[in-house]
Structures are given as structure tokens and as C-alpha cells.
Amino acid sequence: MANLEAAQETRPSGDTAGSADVLIGVPAPTQGTLLHERVADIRDEFRSTHPSIRCVVAYPGIEGTGELSTLSEPAGELGSLRAVEYTLSHGAASTVPWLGLAPAYARLADLAIQMGAGACAILSPDLAAFDVHSITLLLEPLMDGRAELTMPLYAPSKFEGLLNSGILYPLSRALYGRRVRYPLGPDFGVTTSLLTRLGRRRARGTEVEDDQAAIWPATEAALSDSIVAQVHLDGRHGAQNEGLDLPTVLGLLVGSIFNDAERNPVVWQRVRGSQAGLTLGATVDRIDPGAKSAGALDVRSMLEAFNLGSRNLQQVWALVLPPVTLLEIKRLGRLTPEQFRIPDALWARIIYDFALAYRLRTLSRTHLLGALTPLYLGWVASYAQEIANLDAFAAEQRVEKLAKVYEDEKPYFVSRWRWPDRFNP
Amino acid sequence: MASSPMEKRRLKQAGSMSDPLWYKDAIIYELHVRAFADSNNDGIGDFPGLLTKLDYLQDLGVTCIWLLPFFPSPLRDDGYDIQDYIGVNPSYGTLDDFKAFLEAAHDRGLQVMIELVINHTSDQHPWFQAARLAPPGSSERDFYVWSDTDQKYSDARIIFTDTEKSNWTWDPVAKAYYWHRFFSHQPDLNYDHPRVIEEVIKVMRHWLDMGVDGLRIDAIPYLVEREGTTCENLPETHAVMKRIRAEIDAEYGSRLILAEANQWPTDVRPYFGDGDECHMAFHFPLMPRIYMALRQEDRLPITDIMAQTPDIPDNCQWGLFLRNHDELTLEMVTDDERDYMYLAYSADPRMRINIGIRRRLAPLVDNNRRRIELLNSLLFSFPGTPIIYYGDEIGMGDNIYLGDRNGVRTPMQWSGDRNAGFSRANPARLYSPVVMDPVWGYEAINVEAQQSDQSSLLNWMRNMIALRKLFRVFGRGSLKFLNPANRKILAYIREFEGEQVLCVANLSRFAQPVQLDLPGLECKIPVEMLGYVEFPPITSQPYPLTLGPYGFLWLELRPAPEKEVPAEPIDGTSLHVSGLADWEGLLDGENASRIEAEILPEYIQRQRWYGGKSRKIKDTKIIDWGTCAAEQFALALVEVSYSAGAPDTYLLPLATTSGGDMDNLRAHSSGAILTLLNLPSGLGVLHDGIFDDRCCKALLSMMEQSSEIPTRNGVIRGLRSSILESLEGPQPELLQARRGSAEQSNTSIFFSDRLIMKLFRRQQAGPNPDTEIGKYLTEFTTFAHTAPFGGAIEYRAHELTGAITPASDADRTQTFAMLQGLVSNEGDGWQWTLEELDRYYEACAHSVMPASAAFREQVAREHAGIYLDAAAVLGRRTGELHLALARPSSNEAFSPVVFTPEDFQSLGKDLVDHAAISFDLLKESLSQLPDDVVESAGLVLSRRRIIFDRLRQLGALDVRTLKTRVHGDYHLGQVLRVRSDFVILDFEGEPARTLAERRAKQSPLKDVAGMLRSFTYAAFAALMKYTSRRPEDYEQLEPWARLWDEAVGAEFLRAYRETVAGSDVVPEEPQAFQKMLDGYVLDKALYELTYELNNRPAWVGIPIKGILSLSE
């Protein structure tokens, strides 16, 4: 077990009631019984592994039953783990995973400041990463000054998190130059000062309500030039977007990252290449049930959606994409499902062109992101077929290759952004 | 607890921007509510109409809207005749409409600036109506400036010369004259009356409380009047502005005051105060000069005015514009320039008004899209905040048939619809007719059409504005002009916090080539900013570019990407060491022998700083070394022996590196590597330490901390000056080291834009005179016109070894490095003088030389006026330098001594000896001289005896004067042109002389003579260059060259003598002064003769002419 010791000089003078060294924050309502069980489960382990650390778990109210007050320990006692409830203003709690977390981050940052905690671990409300090992991994680099933000490195199945692999990760990496595999979390460790910044984030001019925008810790770290480390986590989250249709998720998450790009061109246009940063913890080995089963993902419906889009959305795509890209898409439509592959460079340029159209408001942003959905499904079909016979490691290498192509194609994006003349190749 | 009203008052009201310097990054859009959009179809634009156009402005990318006066007014001066300061003209809407507009603008991230016209009111203002009825001497009456006579303040000029005959107008009601600097219906407020400023502040609060972000203060220079003055820019006016600013600073945050002062930059400068008057001021003289440069296809009008532009406080900013609601004012140009501008830009007299041209941007440049784009590229890339006049973003035209300046104030052209989409009113009701002619009419030029045209000027402007906003360097960075030979090219570098942008503009209508000298930027990759296109990397060679007609380039200078260099196999050529800091292993023992025998001879031979290139290196020896920065780096002294002659000693900072840093070094600076190293961990290299930024910082740190490091045979000490802290600025840890490229005998290291460290490679016994004098001037005198001394690194050997054989114990100290404050400048005096002379010859090429001497003087002043003023400044600075060096001092090296008769005898003898050498060489070289100088050379030889006699006469002088430390090698190349002044540099003395000779005390007239000869050299060097293109002009221009030389020399000498008058620096008695000076000038000319015979025979005519002239 890694050591998680608070430097003596960072502690507030005197162990006042309510003080803590670290804060574990749950930014959205969670299941009460689950939280009850988890806190009880890890209290003893926490006390034995971190006898000098005072830790507070802050949660925004509880759904269902469960009484946490019995789990609290005397304030200020070392090796303690206790829970406090915080309130969010009416309507501030997010109804969609990933989104609208700024008010919760702000509240958690306030709590951390009040308690004198310098580092915070923000955990997904499903509490999949609520274990001493994960918490230690997330917090340790913050407390020893090696990082100001720790982001998770999960070990999901190769078919999981494809939106992240195909757009969010490579785009975020190319724009801000930080290789953060899961730039949105949901679990991450953060210094209190950086968490305060996250809490202040408001997405002006976005199509979604300000408070419903996605907050990207990795982006914020890049903007504030904070040091980022990645830690291998064993937590396995369930489907985050359950109940939401793909166009909605695309619209919210891709729209959110496009929106950030619109707000920060001064930063990302100066970034070239990317930095790997520090990676901590042991790689999590997991048997991937889908690893060798070719065709585990049925791509036929995706290709149908792509082809339908090709037929119906030509005019919309023509407003966004240059002729050479349109021609490539047209050629793709003539391929058999087995032959269907979207080249990485083409895919990266498509995303860049959509980001530009988003900025220029070439058409309604909702319609624009809706028009991206069939293209994305085409990419998923192409990618899924390509990695069908690869193991998880090789699939991960494939994502890295795509991310590198995003970086290589970035000058195309910058040039189009700066001089968005439609008379281009 | 609730705060009291008083406490509330103390809280500053925040503006719509959190950054108090927001105006530095702003793009201001100037518009008139009346002319922008009419919502109620009464033919007059209004606030609700403007509100509907905010999306357009946001989309255009502007960040601040400047509203021309919208207050109740009789509108006899387009609203600048205000009747009520706190209301809204009903034609434009209501106060609530204004508030709604303000809120909507802020919602879109747009700031709003309004007019504060406080010099005058309308004669319909209630204050004036009350004043004319009130008895003389009453408070109401004193709101304005009254007089019984119209003869007061007669030195004040009339501004509106076309309409006003006097600044006074008789008021039959008041039975007195009232004062007005503008129209007679605009009486000036009286700022000597305390209530006036109180009322003005109330007005200001009214708008600032509402949330207005900025105030443009109209006609600032004229607020206060005083007899016997021009009534402009008076100290009392500045007091008023400071009061207004103090009120704003006390109560409001992030607000802006923009000064309208149509004055020369030096006169505008005081309106910034110490950052406590106006935040911004218009740069009026730049605007006409941009147009002049464009038409003349010559950058000088622009570079000249920028050279005359003083520095402003860090929190201040210039406001730049191409056109505005007034005429293109020509007040701030010379008569000749004004005539030229009228001829160039206003063929039709109707285009002229007052002292200016009433035209919009596009018509001024004949609707040429490339010219419009070029001018806007200058506007967006010059240091300042750009201001766009409404309609210029679509290239709107004007109507010169309308009165006053109304031709440039016509309705905005939104579409091809009725009334240009501005209003649905009956066209006859419009406040002004829309422009309707076939070229400029709204059907051809309008927003709607250009929005749908991807290639329109509107889209171009939008892209450029967006691009500019990406780079804060444009709003906040420094400016440095380059001086390429092709004057049709304007090139400059903007720099801010490590961001560098190179801007190059072709002012010509034809394609132009250019070669840019970019020292210090080697290996940078220029990236064209509009298209993000990488250009070839910059090398040590001039950077070639070709620009199309009126083309421009914005190039971001980015560091070269790190290349992956394959590691080389470790072979027998590398040295084995135990680690990167194993200096003993490297510099002692076997490795040292290999370094001395094999590596250093080869390495030193190829270094630029190596001075013995013509000599064969026999041997090298590391005679001493020590380490610094926790043994990361070493400083070594290497003795270089030759086959013949005395050895030299060189200073060598050393560093080792491996991994990525090594790869980078090998890729970009392989010349700095001495050898490969075989480390336990792999491959490494031993290299010149200055190629490691950390080593440069370590040297700086030695000075900062005055640290001392022992060496094998001595000690190295860092010395800091008393002003080092201020030179480094508030964050010394952020200083970025970079190596200079123009390396000669010394190596320069720059630390950001604040410091320069000179590493004296070739070491000599004794203190370096440059360091010695620099330190003396900074620490012990008040002479400020030199680069301030920041510190030094000195070395003192315990034992005398090697080639350095000091004459005395004091001479055992050597100088390794000197640190100085970096002086931003417009180039050295020599280069600047050649450019000025180029202009001078251009002007004189077809002028007739007047016969009368008095008239010649007048003509010289007319053609070379700026340079004559500069020569006087240089003379004054030279005198001040000599006075500083002549101060009594307890430091023996500097204490002045009186010339004795023996000194004079010795001087006469020395000069004769020097002359003999020159004459002998001339005689030997006669057969090899160019044909056109042989005859003159013969004449010089025939005067040998006369010259010797004249020099010998110096030995007989008996006059009181001093010997002091002097510059020693004083010429135009040793001074920097800084704004309208000079800074004197490089006190090393003549490099060919020994250190003892360079440190010897001499007559300051040696320096004076050096500069006079430098003027002559410049006059004829520029003439040779000029006539190389036009040989037929040589005969015509030679008398002009002499005239310039005489006039400039006389002005320099006059100012010099005035400055040193009353001191013993030079002989007081005129004859003795002249005799001594002539002797030194002759000596210098003979020295030049020797130099040219040895090095540049083609130039030998210049000193020969000089010697002949001096010996007549």
C-alpha cells in the first residue's frame, strides 16, 4: 500500500472541529445504502494504512435509506474517516452523468478549504472506485507534490468507451497537448485550488445551460499549466450513459469539448505535440471477454445508419466538410461491410471540420451535432471491425495511433480555424 | 453588519471586464448611433436599432463600441455641441434604451465607450444661457471664459480655420467676448472655476455608475488657457486630468479614459502622466504617415514617426486608427508633407477641409482591396489598440458633396434594400442621404452582400480580427523595426512574454524581394499566421522573402521542434568519464592531454570568437579551471600557442549533457560540441557551456550572489552593481537566456529583453576598460546615457602563469564577463545616419546649391534638420560623458590629471610617428591605388612636411586642459539611436591596441575628433552607396555631402562646447582648442588611411579627401 502522509506544515494549526487532510467528494447524489456500506467497509483499512490522515467523505444528500452519522468519528482524530453531507442549491444536482458538476465541485472546494484539506479525490456516484487503494493512488501524487491532478487509467473492455477513444481523448490530447486517456474522469484526484477553478467553470454561449456543461479536469489542468499524472484504477463503472440516446450524448459531450475549444483558441493553438506525463500504479490485468471473439459487435446497423446519413445528410455535410472529404465519404458508401474502414486522417479531419462549423455556427449546433451521429457510427463500425481480433493491449495501441494522427492533422484544424475560407480542397 | 453609505462609496464599482488592462487587447469600433440603424423609421438611427446590430458587431469580433456623442444637442457639430450631458437625444431613444443597449452589449462581451466632451458645451447649454445673463464675477458667469477684449491669449492658434476667424466671439447679452477653440457656438468651459470640474465629475459618475466602460475625452489639450502660451497642453490641464483619473481610480474598476490630443507624440506623452492620467491616447501623427508611406512606397515616414514616439507607462496604450469621423488630419506633418498629402490623396479640392482630407479609407486608396488589406494589417499589428470606423470594414465610400465632414458620416450600408437597409423611412427624411453612386453606392457595397460572399472584405476583416485576438503580443508587445536595404519593405518584430511575431509588409505596388537580418533568431521556424504554414527555418544567413504587390506576412517565430537524433555508437573518439560532472576526469590527467592536443586546436579554430585565424595553432593548454553551479559547469582558461608570436588566452565555459538535450544540441548547434563522452549511462557530449541556458543563468547567478569559486590557480568572483535588481525587474527567475548571433570577439548572452552579458573570450591582463568605465559611470556618476552596468565576473590568478603577464599586481585581475541593462534602440548610429543621408541625398539630388553661405546654412537645415538636431544631442551627450569622466576621483584609474608641457611634447611626437607610418604606407601603395585617387594621394604625399610641422606644433602648446579616461574608439557605430536620443556604448578602446594603451588617460578631444571623422565617413560612404545606383549624380551631390558634413560637425561641436564650457575638459581658449582638435582629427584621418590601405583600398578616397581638406 502506498503511503499517504500529510506533511505536518500543511495542517491547519490546532485540530479544530471539522478539519481534515483530504476530502473525498461525491459530486452527484448517490445510493445511500451503498455509501453506508462502502464507508464502513474501508474505515478500518483506512485507519491501519493511513494512521495519520484525517479524511472526510462529502456527499450531496442520500437517496434511499442509510444513516451515516453513526459512521462519524470524533472530529480531528488521526486515522479517521468520516462522512458529511453537503447541500446543493435547488436544481444544481446533475440529472445527466458527466454534466452539470460545476456547482458540486465549487461546493466541495469550499468544504475542502474550510476543513483545511489540500487534496481531494472526486469519485463517481456509483462508488466503483471507493476503495483505499484507488483513493490512495489518486491522492498520493497530490500530497507529495508530484501532480496537481490525477486522472484515472481504467482497464475497460476494448469495446467500451468508444466515444472517448474515437473523439474525446484524441481531440483533447491534440488540442491541449496532454495525454490523458480519460480526460473527463469520472474519478480523479485534484488539489483544492484546482478544484476551485473547476467549480468556477461556466460554459458561456453553449447550447446547454451553463450549469449543465461538462467540466473537463484535464482541460482545466492544461489551461492552468498544472501537472497531471495518470493512475491505473481497478474500478469498473457501469454504463454511464444509460437511458440516454447516442445523439444526445454526442451532442452533450462532443458539443462540450467543441465549446471549450471555442473558448480557448489562444491556448490550444500554441500547443504542438503532446506530453505523456507521469503514470502511476500497476496496470490492471483483466480478462477481456470480448478480446478474441471476432464480430462481437454487430456493425451492420451502424453501417446502415452511416449509409442512411450519406443519402439524407449530404446537403448538411456539404456545409461542413470540404469536397475532398465528401468524396472520401462517398467512396466509403460503396464498400462492403467487411471492407469498410475510415482512415484515421479522414476521421480526424471530419471531427476538426465539425468543430470549426460549431464555432462558425454554420448551422444550428444541435443539428450539426446530430449530423455527426451517422459519421460516428460509421467510425465505430470501422474501428470495431479493425480491433475485433486484437487483444486489449493491441486495441489500446490502436487508440494511441489514432490519437497521434489527430496530432498530425492539427495544423489542418488551426489553419481552417484561422482562415475559414470555404474555398478549400 | 450592513456597511454604511460611506463604506459603500469606498467600494469600487467593477466594470464589465475583470482585467484592468482590457483595453490593451481590445478592438474598438467607432460608430454614430444616428448613422447605424433606425428602428422607428424616422430616418435617424437610434439605440433600439443599434441593439439589433450587436450580433453583427459580435460576429465581426470587435470588443468595444465607441459611441460618438448621443446627448441632447442642437447638432451643429455632429453632437459635439452638447446641450445636456446626462440625457439621450430624443431622436436616438431614451435613457432606458441606452441602458438596454448597454446591458445587451455587456451580455455579448462587448464594452462600451462614450464621449465626455468637456472642453466646451453648446451655446444652448443651460450653463451658458445662465452665464451670459449672470453678472460678471458671479459663479454662474465664471463657468465660461469671458473677456472685454478679443486680444487675450493671442498666441493660441485657430483650429477650424475654414470657418472661424478668431477664438473670441462677442456676446451681445453678456456684453463680453467668450472664448471658444472650436466653433463659435461651442463656448469653452472655464476650468479655473472649481465648480466646473465638480460638475464634470458628476456627469462622469452618472455614466460610469450605469456601467459604461470607457470615456473618450474630447479636445483634451485645450481645457485651460493662460496668457503668453499657446493655451495647449498646459500643466493646469494635466492637473484637471489627474483629478478626473483619481476620481475614477478611487471608485471604479477596469474603466478607461481615452485622450483625444491631436499633438506630436512627445506632447501627447504627458497625458499618460505616470500612468495616472489617461489610459489611452490616439496616435494622430502615425495615421497620415501610413498613407504617406503607402503612396511613396517608402517605410521611412512610418519608422521616423515611430522613432519619435516615446515610451509610455506599462498600463497605458496608444489608440491607432486609419480613419475616423473627422477629416484625415494633417496638422501633425510638415508643410512639405501636407502639400504632398493633398496632391496624393485629394485631387478634388472638395475633398479638403480645415487642415485635412475628408475621405473614408476605401476611397483614399482608390478602392484597391490589396491596399485596404495592407493598411489594416499595419493597423492590427502595430503597438496599440486598433480602432475601426464604422463602414470601413465593408469598404464604404463617402460623399464629398455633403458639407463639413458629413460626407464620411452617411448611413451604414446594411443591404441593397431601400435606404441601404438602414431605415424604412421616406428617403427624403433620412438625416443624410445614403451613398448611391455606382461604385460606392449601397447596392454595390453592403453588409448583407458581403456576409454571403466568402471572399468579401467583411469576411477578411472578421478573420483578421479573430487572428489578432489570438495573439496578445499585438496589443501588449514591444516593437523593433528591422532595417532591410529595400525601403519599400516595412519589417518589424513584436515580442511579448516569449511570443515573437515577425511582420513584413510590402508598401509597393510591385512584388519586392527582401533579405532580413534576424540575429538571435537562428533555428526559429517562421509560421505564417493566417494559414498556419511553416516557412523554412531561420539561419545565420539573411532570411530571404518575396512579397507580392502590397503583400504582407505575419510570421509567428516558433522554436524548432525537437528532432529525434539517433544515438551514435560509442567509439574510440569519445572520452571516458565517470559521469556528467566528472570535471577532474575531463580536465586533468589523460583526458586533458587529449583535449589539449587533439580537440581544442580543432575546436577553437572554428569558433567565431577566435581572433588568430591567420595564425597556425601550435599547441593549447588548459591553464586554469574551476566549476560552478554545484559542479554542473566549468570555466576554463585555455592558452593558445602559435608557431610564431606571443600566445593568447581564451575563456571557455564548458558543460556536459546527454539524452534529449544532447540530441537537441547535436541537431541545432553541433558547432558548439567539443567532443563525445563515453558515460556509464551511455553517450554524452562536452560542449560550450553557453549553449546550455542553465549555464548562462549560473553565470548570472554568480553576479547576483557575488559568489566566489576557487579554481586550480586562482579565484573567480561575481560582482553585482547596486542597480542589478532594478535591471532584472520584478521576476528575475523568469528571465530567459538566449545567445546572440552577431558574435565577434565577444560572446553575447541576452536575458529576456532586460539584460545583456558579454563574455570576453580573449583574455588580457588587467581590468577590461569596457567593464571598468561602465561600472564607473553607473556607480559613481550620474551619466545615464550609456547601457547601465549590472555586474561582472572577474578572475584573479594566485600565480602568474601562461601568456598573461601583468605589469602590476592590480593587473592580475581579468574580466571574464560584464552584464549590462539592455537598451531598446532603433539601431546603431552609423546605420541610422546612413538612412538619414539616403533621404538627404534624395532630397538634394535635384536642388541647386546656393551661392551664399548664409543661405546654404538655411538649406542644410531644411534638408537635414532632423539630423542636425540629432548631432546637437550627440554633442551634448559626448560632453556630458567627458564631464562625468573628468570628475575628481579617489580612484587612481579615473582621477583626471593636468596636461604638462611634457605631455604636449609627447603628444606631438606620437602623432608625428603615427603620421610617418601612414605616409610610408601610402607611398608604398601608390601604384596599387584606384585611378581616381592616385592624383589626390600624390597631393597628400606632397604635404608630408606641412602636416608633420602642424602636428609637431602641438608639442609647443601651453594651455590648461585635462587628461582623463576617454571612450577611446568613438564613432557612430559606438552609439545607439534611442528614440530621439543616443546611448553611448563599448568603452573597450581600439581593439588593436594593448590594454595599457586603451586604459591610458588622454585628451577627450580624441573622442571628439573620432566622431567628427565618423560624420565625414558617413557622408561619403552614403554618397558612394547612393551614387552607385546613379553615378551621374556624384558631381551634383558631392558639394551637398560636404555641406552636410560641415553643418553636422559644426552643430555637434557647438553643442559639445556649450556642454563642457567652464570645465577644463578641453582648452577654453578657442585657438588652442582648435589646434588640438585639428591635430587629433588629422591623426584620426591618417589612422583611417592606414586602415583603408590595409583593408579596403576602394574606400581610401575618403581619408585622402579628409587629409587634403584638413591640411589646407
Side-chain angles (χ1 to χ4, degrees), chain A residues 269-270 272 414-415 418-419, chain B residues 470-471 499 529 531 558-559:
Chain A
Q269 291 204 9
R270 280 161 179 70
R272 282 189 297 180
V414 178
S415 67
R418 290 190 181 176
W419 213 255
Chain B
L470 284 177
F471 293 86
E499 196 166 76
M529 290 163 68
R558 307 189 68 155

Side-chain angles (χ1 to χ4, degrees), chain B residues 358-537:
Chain B
R358 49 176 187 169
R359 305 216 70 189
R360 270 186 175 271
L361 168 63
L364 275 170
V365 295
D366 287 349
N367 206 18
N368 182 300
R369 175 72 180 271
R370 286 179 180 171
R371 290 185 201 122
I372 295 172
E373 292 181 359
L374 175 65
L375 292 188
N376 275 300
S377 80
L378 298 181
L379 176 73
F380 290 138
S381 61
F382 260 40
T385 294
I387 300 165
I388 301 165
Y389 185 48
Y390 84 91
D392 281 351
E393 75 273 24
I394 55 170
M396 249 173 79
D398 50 37
N399 182 350
I400 58 171
Y401 300 98
L402 298 176
D404 196 8
R405 288 149 292 178
N406 296 328
V408 299
R409 299 169 180 179
T410 57
M412 179 68 178
Q413 294 170 191
W414 293 106
S415 69
D417 294 346
R418 175 194 178 103
N419 299 330
F422 161 73
S423 169
R424 298 295 302 162
N426 182 323
R429 282 191 72 187
L430 297 183
Y431 77 92
S432 162
V434 293
V435 178
M436 284 187 288
D437 71 56
V439 176
W440 305 103
Y442 65 89
E443 286 170 327
I445 296 172
N446 64 69
V447 170
E448 188 180 76
Q450 294 202 13
Q451 277 176 330
S452 59
D453 172 7
Q454 281 285 306
S455 306
S456 65
L457 178 62
L458 177 62
N459 276 317
W460 184 90
M461 288 287 283
R462 186 169 53 197
N463 291 345
M464 288 299 285
I465 290 170
L467 185 62
R468 184 194 146 102
K469 283 158 69 177
L470 284 177
F471 293 86
R472 293 216 303 176
V473 65
F474 289 126
R476 303 193 183 212
S478 61
L479 170 85
K480 183 184 170 195
F481 283 111
L482 304 179
N483 294 301
N486 185 349
R487 287 200 342 218
K488 295 178 193 303
I489 298 292
L490 176 67
Y492 43 101
I493 292 179
R494 306 292 318 276
E495 190 164 359
F496 179 69
E497 292 183 349
E499 196 166 76
Q500 289 174 314
V501 172
L502 167 64
C503 302
V504 191
N506 175 11
L507 300 168
S508 163
R509 61 204 189 282
F510 303 117
Q512 295 291 330
V514 66
Q515 303 258 347
L516 298 174
D517 285 325
L518 299 167
L521 298 171
E522 289 83 354
C523 298
K524 289 277 175 85
I525 309 279
V527 179
E528 196 279 322
M529 290 163 68
L530 279 64
Y532 204 64
V533 179
E534 274 195 12
F535 276 40

